[in-house]
Amino acid sequence: MMNSQGGYPTVSVVLSVKNGGRDLPQALGTILNQSFADFELIAIDNGSTDETGPYLDSITDPRVRVFHQTDAGLAGALNRGISLARGRYIARQDHDDLADPSRIAKQVQFLESHPEHALIGTRAEIWVGDKPSGRFHDHPTEDEILRFDLIFNNPFVHSSVMVRKSALDRVGVYTTDPARQPPEDYELWSRISRQYRVANLPERLTVYREVPSSMSRAGAQPFLQKLVTISSENLAYATGVAEPEQVHVDMAALVHGAEALVSPKPDVEGMCAVLAEAGHRIGGGQTKPELAQRVLHAQAQIRHRFMLRQQPGYGLVWRAARNIRGHLRRLIPAAL
């Protein structure tokens, strides 16, 4: 057991729950049965009206610290948990997701061995309810690829992540700005990746339960606006620009399908040049093959979405070709 902070635990697991229902005991059980025992679990009862509060109060494990409050939103609840944390590493856990027994041990080992990294996630198996879906969140593992992917999307499973407390002290905690959350996790990982290296473990150490409403707690259009805001900020930072310019907004809006936010005459070649510059900077001046492929794919996506927007006939031809390819894929295996 590691305990080098004058009696404080090495890890603080932070969980916010509102009306956890039947999933909560199983999720908590996967944390309390971790092979790494030097942790505290900070459970924030975020305005529950079911049996969540009494259940949490009934837990006798001394590592569990329970706090009750009115609903402060996910970001507000997690920030309270972080403010109460005594560990040097902050691990996330959701009330309905499951953790492999080795998850915390492997993440602590990684951060101890990689002092330049501030964030470590894991790959995840996707369940729908209590059943495996056969699908996975097999996100990239390497820092450069993750930092490029973060320009547009979130390559981390929220409930799989462990972060250095010292990094949060430096870059700040979850944003509560309505213009940037949700997705508060994507926004925070973006800020962390600007100052530190990030990674995912290659093992699937998390079971992520897919919920229809998990993509956005605020509706599709407000969520899109926030994605474009964060993504354009990421693009600006990746190319050394202090604030997003129209080219960055156009790129983010095109990728996320936010047509109303695209300018009347977007500069497609300028957007592709921005992507090349971002890849060059992220790669430290030496764009490795996998990163180069990411850049080329992103440029192709931008050009494709630009053509769909500018030339309706292109979209009809593209959809017809896609349907033909899909039909051929179904026919070929049947003929073998």
Side-chain angles (χ1 to χ4, degrees), residues 215-252:
M215 272 295 292
S216 169
R217 293 180 293 279
Q221 292 309 312
F223 191 79
L224 266 183
Q225 172 70 68
K226 295 164 190 178
L227 280 176
V228 171
T229 295
I230 298 167
S231 183
S232 61
E233 290 172 346
N234 289 344
L235 280 161
Y237 183 86
T239 51
V241 179
E243 297 290 338
E245 299 171 352
Q246 189 61 53
V247 66
H248 305 120
V249 176
D250 283 345
M251 293 170 72

Side-chain angles (χ1 to χ4, degrees), residues 100-246:
D100 182 271
S102 66
R103 176 202 152 188
I104 291 179
K106 289 179 177 178
Q107 290 184 303
V108 169
Q109 182 181 28
F110 181 92
L111 290 176
E112 295 284 329
S113 303
H114 298 81
E116 72 283 2
H117 282 69
L119 184 156
I120 179 69
T122 82
R123 289 176 169 174
E125 183 178 351
I126 301 171
W127 285 13
V128 177
D130 293 324
K131 296 181 179 180
S133 69
R135 294 178 289 115
F136 309 95
H137 285 307
D138 282 350
H139 292 307
T141 59
E142 298 297 322
D143 171 68
E144 290 178 353
I145 304 303
L146 288 166
R147 284 193 287 131
F148 187 82
D149 283 4
L150 272 165
I151 288 175
F152 294 116
N153 293 298
N154 180 7
F156 295 98
V157 176
H158 196 178
S159 58
S160 81
V161 164
M162 182 180 288
V163 183
R164 292 184 192 275
K165 179 66 159 54
S166 59
L168 296 177
D169 292 340
R170 179 180 178 186
V171 307
V173 291
Y174 291 94
T175 181
T176 55
D177 178 1
R180 289 173 174 78
Q181 67 87 29
E184 56 280 306
D185 53 338
Y186 176 39
E187 196 277 339
L188 179 55
W189 313 154
S190 297
R191 275 186 284 125
I192 290 174
S193 71
R194 296 169 193 167
Q195 305 295 328
Y196 300 92
R197 294 176 69 84
V198 297
N200 276 314
L201 294 177
E203 301 100 325
R204 296 171 186 151
L205 301 179
T206 301
V207 169
Y208 170 78
R209 293 186 199 264
E210 194 171 67
V211 180
S213 62
S214 62
M215 272 295 292
S216 169
R217 293 180 293 279
Q221 292 309 312
F223 191 79
L224 266 183
Q225 172 70 68
K226 295 164 190 178
L227 280 176
V228 171
T229 295
I230 298 167
S231 183
S232 61
E233 290 172 346
N234 289 344
L235 280 161
Y237 183 86
T239 51
V241 179
E243 297 290 338
E245 299 171 352
Q246 189 61 53

